[in-house]
C-alpha cells in the first residue's frame, strides 16, 4: 500500500468516527429493498380502493336528500302537542344530518325526539340534537322511533296541509308540506 493510500485510510470519514466503511451485503440490500417496498405496497392498496370507490360513482358525490311521506298527527283532546314524521332519503355518496325543523304554523320550537321504553309498559321521548341520514339510505321517522314533537296552532283539521322546512348540515334547507292525519290512520 502506498503512503498516500495508507494516510487516506487512517484520516477518512470512517476512520474519524471509528466505524468501518459501508459495504453492501445481502442482508443490507434485502433490508433496503423491503423498506422501499412497504410504501409502494401501501400506495397500491390505496390506489385500488380509490379506483373501486370512483368506479361505483360515489367519488365526490355530495349528499342528495329528498323528503317524502310527510304527515303530522291531529292534536287529540285539550293538548296541542303532537308529532310529525317524514321519510328522508339520501341518494348521494356522502352522509348528511337533520339539524332542525321549522314551520310558520307551529308555536315554539319543534323538537327532534326518539321514542324510548321504560322498564314497564310506559314510554317517553328522549330529545336528540340531530339525526344522521347515511349515504344511500333512508331515515323513516315513526311514532316508535324518531319523530318531531310540535305544538300545533289552533284550528288544524284532518287533511290540512302544513308547511315545514327541514334544515340539513350539508344539503341546506328543504321545504316540504305534510298532511294532517288522525293518529292510527294509515298513511303511505
Amino acid at each position: 500500500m502506498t503512503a498516500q493510500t495508507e494516510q487516506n485510510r487512517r484520516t477518512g470519514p470512517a476512520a474519524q468516527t471509528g466505524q468501518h466503511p459501508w459495504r453492501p451485503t445481502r442482508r443490507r440490500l434485502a433490508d433496503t429493498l423491503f423498506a422501499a417496498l412497504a410504501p409502494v405496497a401501501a400506495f397500491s392498496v390505496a390506489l385500488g380502493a380509490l379506483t373501486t370507490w370512483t368506479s361505483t360513482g360515489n367519488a365526490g358525490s355530495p349528499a342528495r336528500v329528498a323528503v317524502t311521506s310527510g304527515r303530522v298527527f291531529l292534536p287529540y283532546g285539550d293538548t296541542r302537542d303532537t308529532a310529525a314524521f317524514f321519510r328522508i332519503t339520501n341518494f348521494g355518496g356522502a352522509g348528511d344530518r337533520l339539524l332542525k325543523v321549522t314551520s310558520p304554523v307551529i308555536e315554539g320550537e319543534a323538537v327532534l325526539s326518539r321514542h324510548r321504553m321504560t322498564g314497564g309498559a310506559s314510554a317517553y321521548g328522549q330529545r336528540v340534537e340531530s339525526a344522521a341520514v347515511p349515504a344511500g339510505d333512508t331515515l323513516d321517522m315513526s311514532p316508535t322511533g324518531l319523530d318531531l314533537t310540535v305544538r300545533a296552532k289552533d284550528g288544524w283539521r284532518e287533511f290540512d296541509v302544513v308547511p315545514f322546512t327541514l334544515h340539513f348540515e350539508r344539503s341546506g334547507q328543504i321545504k316540504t308540506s305534510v298532511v294532517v292525519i288522525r293518529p292510527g290512520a294509515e298513511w303511505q
Side-chain angles (χ1 to χ4, degrees):
M1 190 178 301
T2 68
Q4 183 61 34
T5 308
E6 181 63 27
Q7 179 66 22
N8 287 344
R9 188 180 64 79
R10 278 189 249 149
T11 61
Q16 291 171 359
T17 60
Q19 297 177 348
H20 295 287
W22 186 83
R23 293 189 185 127
T25 63
R26 285 184 187 198
R27 169 79 181 198
R28 287 181 176 168
L29 290 174
D31 288 346
T32 303
L33 179 63
F34 287 130
L37 284 179
V40 171
F43 171 77
S44 298
V45 169
L47 182 61
L50 286 171
T51 301
T52 302
W53 185 49
T54 303
S55 66
T56 60
N58 290 326
S61 173
R64 289 190 338 250
V65 174
V67 179
T68 58
S69 300
R71 61 214 183 277
V72 61
F73 285 156
L74 185 65
Y76 181 74
D78 293 334
T79 183
R80 292 191 337 237
D81 289 340
T82 189
F85 312 95
F86 306 92
R87 176 175 290 137
I88 304 167
T89 304
N90 184 350
F91 297 102
D96 208 343
R97 294 194 78 72
L98 175 63
L99 302 175
K100 69 178 182 175
V101 180
T102 58
S103 175
V105 296
I106 63 170
E107 291 181 3
E109 178 187 23
V111 177
L112 285 170
S113 60
R114 192 167 301 282
H115 181 85
R116 297 285 186 218
M117 295 298 293
T118 61
S122 61
Y124 67 97
Q126 179 183 22
R127 183 183 182 128
V128 295
E129 295 303 315
S130 64
V133 186
D137 204 356
T138 298
L139 171 64
D140 265 324
M141 299 172 78
S142 72
T144 59
L146 183 71
D147 65 13
L148 182 70
T149 304
V150 298
R151 177 160 288 194
K153 288 186 177 177
D154 287 331
W156 283 10
R157 292 186 310 257
E158 191 173 15
F159 304 118
D160 282 351
V161 177
V162 179
F164 280 92
T165 303
L166 286 74
H167 303 262
F168 293 91
E169 185 175 58
R170 293 190 173 132
S171 299
Q173 297 179 7
I174 297 179
K175 296 180 184 259
T176 189
S177 295
V178 302
V179 176
V180 177
I181 63 170
R182 292 192 181 280
E186 290 294 321
W187 183 257
Q188 297 299 325

